């Protein structure tokens, strides 16, 4: 039975080839930050409230001025289309039907245009800044052309964190298959059949768009060289101007950085340690949320990701001041288990857990949730 996110994780392990499942289920180095992201949520206890009228509850939320059915969005995840054929399209469709934001990664398998063609509402686009600024400009123009309604600029991956599982699995970008991989892939026949039936099997936003990249082998060296370690706050200002629409800065973990981010005039920041995939040894994102909200919350919307595994976690983040939270791995596991249906089921589970917990805490409207629902008020 699939009753919680852990059930989906266990089942996804059986459905998705090992190298791609472990690509999702991994943090950098010792994975201490990956583990703490989840563990620290559980330390936050709720205060049960009784005899409060709990009829007519609502989870509807405004995120950067856009209305959504609950304060949750799908985080950008590279190579989603390797968890399930056409993964980005299916996840975007599930999010659209649910009335929540979907964020397409720069490193997606399905391209901006392919996702736009199969969805009817605007989605968000996540940008990695590459050394090739002409390519970055063109990506921004393509996101505008397909009507993306927010740009999520990721600030914490100019230097790639080392993930031991990926190294052990020989996973490169793009994947280069050896005998071990062929065995892993061959032992997942349904995954293979679905993958054979789609054209979307490489990095759709890059192949045929970046200069000199026409095939998989030229793409491999391009991706390793292109993340720009010299990215600066001036670049953020340049991107904001170039984009001209709602801008969200992803990957802030420090009060000082949050203050700088607020000064750029961006619409929101995401408190995130990239799901424990970058700086191992960094604190969990939920543990730094209160101090960041206290320092910039009056000037800019503060959102959070990393470690959200239940509707209860969404409520905990909301109580500590996050306007929105995002999930990465939970929907990736849903997708691996059953494509679009799996993502929808994951979202239903989260919504149900969020709604029931909110009611038990004596709140009817998600927008009224604050630190008073937490025992002791914080971590
Ligand atoms: C990511 N994340 C990510 N972030 C981003 O800005 N661009 C990207 O391409 C990716 N790719 C990616 C791949 C995989 C497999 C994972 C698990 C994560 C980070 C992601 O957006 C988000 O910050 C985390 O996934 C949140 O943590 P949880 O929900 O997975 O614990």
């Amino acid at each position: 039975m699939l009753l919680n996110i852990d059930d989906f994780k266990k089942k996804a392990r059986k459905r998705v080839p090992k190298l791609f499942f472990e690509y999702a289920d991994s943090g950098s180095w010792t994975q201490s930050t990956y583990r703490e992201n989840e563990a620290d949520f559980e330390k936050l206890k709720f205060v049960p409230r009784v005899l409060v009228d709990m009829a007519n509850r609502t989870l509807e939320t405004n995120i950067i001025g856009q209305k959504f059915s609950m304060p949750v969005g799908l985080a950008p995840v590279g190579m989603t289309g390797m968890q399930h054929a056409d993964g980005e399209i299916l996840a975007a469709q599930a999010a659209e039907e649910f009335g929540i934001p979907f964020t397409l990664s720069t490193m997606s398998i399905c391209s901006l245009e392919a996702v736009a063609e199969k969805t009817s509402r605007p989605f968000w686009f996540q940008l990695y800044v590459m050394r090739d600024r002409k390519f970055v400009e063109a990506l921004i123009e393509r996101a505008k052309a397909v009507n993306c309604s927010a740009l999520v600029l990721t600030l914490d991956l100019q230097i790639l964190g080392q993930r031991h599982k990926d190294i052990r699995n020989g996973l490169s970008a793009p994947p280069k298959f050896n005998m071990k991989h062929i065995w892993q892939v061959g032992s997942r026949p349904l995954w293979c059949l679905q993958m054979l039936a789609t054209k979307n099997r490489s990095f759709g936003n890059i192949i045929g768009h970046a200069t000199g990249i026409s095939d998989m082998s030229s793409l491999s060296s391009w991706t390793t060289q292109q993340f720009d370690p010299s990215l600066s706050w001036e670049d953020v200002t340049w991107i904001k101007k170039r984009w001209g629409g709602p801008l969200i800065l992803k990957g802030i973990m420090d009060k000082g950085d949050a203050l700088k981010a607020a000064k750029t005039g961006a619409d929101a920041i995401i408190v995130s340690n990239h799901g424990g995939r970058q700086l191992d040894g960094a604190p969990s994102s939920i543990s730094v949320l209160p101090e960041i909200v206290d320092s910039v919350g009056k000037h800019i919307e503060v959102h959070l990701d990393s470690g959200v595994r239940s509707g209860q976690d969404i409520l905990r983040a909301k109580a500590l001041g996050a306007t929105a939270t995002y999930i990465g791995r939970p929907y990736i596991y849903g997708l691996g288990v059953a494509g679009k249906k799996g993502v929808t089921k994951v979202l239903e589970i989260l919504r149900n857990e969020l709604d029931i917990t909110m009611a038990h805490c004596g709140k009817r409207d998600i927008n009224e949730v604050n630190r008073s629902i937490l025992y002791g008020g914080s971590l």
Side-chain angles (χ1 to χ4, degrees):
M1 243 193 269
L2 296 166
L3 296 178
N4 58 33
I5 303 309
D6 202 45
D7 293 339
F8 275 91
K9 178 174 172 174
K10 286 182 189 132
K11 193 147 187 183
R13 190 188 290 278
K14 294 185 187 144
R15 292 277 175 99
V16 177
K18 182 169 182 269
L19 78 161
F20 297 123
F21 175 81
E22 290 194 343
Y23 165 65
D25 177 30
S26 59
S28 54
W29 285 329
T30 69
Q31 306 199 121
S32 68
T33 300
Y34 179 30
R35 286 190 299 275
E36 274 172 35
N37 277 338
E38 295 180 26
D40 280 354
F41 269 107
E42 278 192 28
K43 293 180 190 156
L44 292 163
K45 305 295 176 201
F46 296 105
V47 182
R49 296 258 155 68
V50 295
L51 304 188
V52 186
D53 181 0
M54 281 307 128
N56 303 320
R57 294 185 301 282
T58 176
L59 299 175
E60 246 178 46
T61 309
N62 275 316
I63 308 172
I64 56 162
Q66 301 172 16
K67 201 171 170 184
F68 295 105
S69 66
M70 59 178 181
V72 185
L74 303 192
V77 170
M79 291 205 280
T80 294
M82 286 292 149
Q83 303 291 331
H84 188 288
D86 297 330
E88 289 89 0
I89 293 172
L90 302 178
Q93 288 173 339
E96 178 174 319
E97 283 170 21
F98 227 87
I100 62 162
F102 168 77
T103 320
L104 184 74
S105 164
T106 294
M107 303 308 289
S108 59
I109 300 295
C110 302
S111 66
L112 275 154
E113 294 77 12
V115 176
E117 200 191 314
K118 300 282 183 190
T119 48
S120 48
R121 284 215 228 121
F123 54 93
W124 295 357
F125 181 64
Q126 175 267 326
L127 182 70
Y128 277 133
V129 181
M130 305 297 189
R131 287 180 202 264
D132 180 350
R133 294 295 203 268
K134 288 264 167 287
F135 172 72
V136 173
E137 284 176 14
L139 263 182
I140 294 175
E141 291 313 311
R142 287 169 62 199
K144 282 188 202 172
V146 299
N147 257 336
C148 287
S149 51
L151 189 74
V152 177
L153 178 61
T154 299
L155 307 178
D156 63 356
L157 198 131
Q158 298 321 113
I159 307 245
L160 194 67
Q162 260 194 26
R163 298 155 205 156
H164 287 174
K165 284 184 190 163
D166 288 351
I167 297 169
R168 290 203 174 96
N169 285 327
L171 184 69
S172 57
K176 279 191 221 135
F177 288 111
N178 59 31
M179 279 316 285
K180 196 168 73 178
H181 297 147
I182 290 167
W183 187 84
Q184 288 177 9
V185 165
S187 64
R188 301 288 184 270
L190 185 61
W191 182 95
C192 288
L193 283 175
Q194 286 163 339
M195 207 53 93
L196 285 171
T198 179
K199 294 192 300 280
N200 300 316
R201 278 185 247 138
S202 186
F203 291 99
N205 290 327
I206 299 172
I207 288 260
H209 294 282
T211 313
I213 308 301
S214 52
D215 61 15
M216 294 291 265
S217 60
S218 48
L219 176 62
S220 180
S221 46
W222 186 88
T223 27
T224 44
Q225 287 159 18
Q226 275 295 328
F227 288 95
D228 187 349
S230 71
L231 186 72
S232 67
W233 290 105
E234 284 76 55
D235 292 312
V236 175
T237 308
W238 171 73
I239 285 158
K240 184 174 185 300
K241 208 164 149 205
R242 189 92 213 175
W243 164 245
L247 179 69
I248 303 176
L249 301 179
K250 175 175 185 280
I252 304 278
M253 287 289 289
D254 170 70
K255 274 190 295 190
D257 284 349
L259 284 164
K260 286 182 193 152
K263 284 197 186 124
T264 64
D267 297 81
I269 56 171
I270 306 180
V271 174
S272 165
N273 54 36
H274 216 102
R277 297 165 74 78
Q278 286 295 96
L279 176 59
D280 188 35
S284 63
S285 51
I286 191 69
S287 67
V288 300
L289 177 66
E291 63 189 50
I292 293 184
V293 168
D294 289 345
S295 65
V296 298
K298 286 202 180 88
H299 311 292
I300 190 167
E301 262 183 38
V302 179
H303 304 174
L304 171 135
D305 77 21
S306 300
V308 173
R309 295 293 178 270
S310 67
Q312 294 210 321
D313 294 345
I314 296 164
L315 195 70
R316 289 169 168 126
K318 188 81 191 168
L320 292 181
T323 305
T325 52
Y326 302 91
I327 49 165
R329 297 177 184 89
Y331 87 86
I332 289 301
Y333 299 145
L335 191 67
V337 169
K340 181 180 160 189
K341 266 196 203 154
V343 178
T344 302
K345 183 74 187 153
V346 160
L347 292 173
E348 281 168 1
I349 289 171
L350 295 180
R351 182 176 58 191
N352 192 36
E353 291 171 342
L354 173 60
D355 177 51
I356 291 177
T357 311
M358 181 175 83
H360 285 163
C361 291
K363 297 284 180 193
R364 285 198 300 194
D365 182 344
I366 193 76
N367 301 297
E368 287 169 5
V369 167
N370 54 34
R371 289 182 195 185
S372 69
I373 69 161
L374 297 176
Y375 186 75
S378 193
L379 260 184

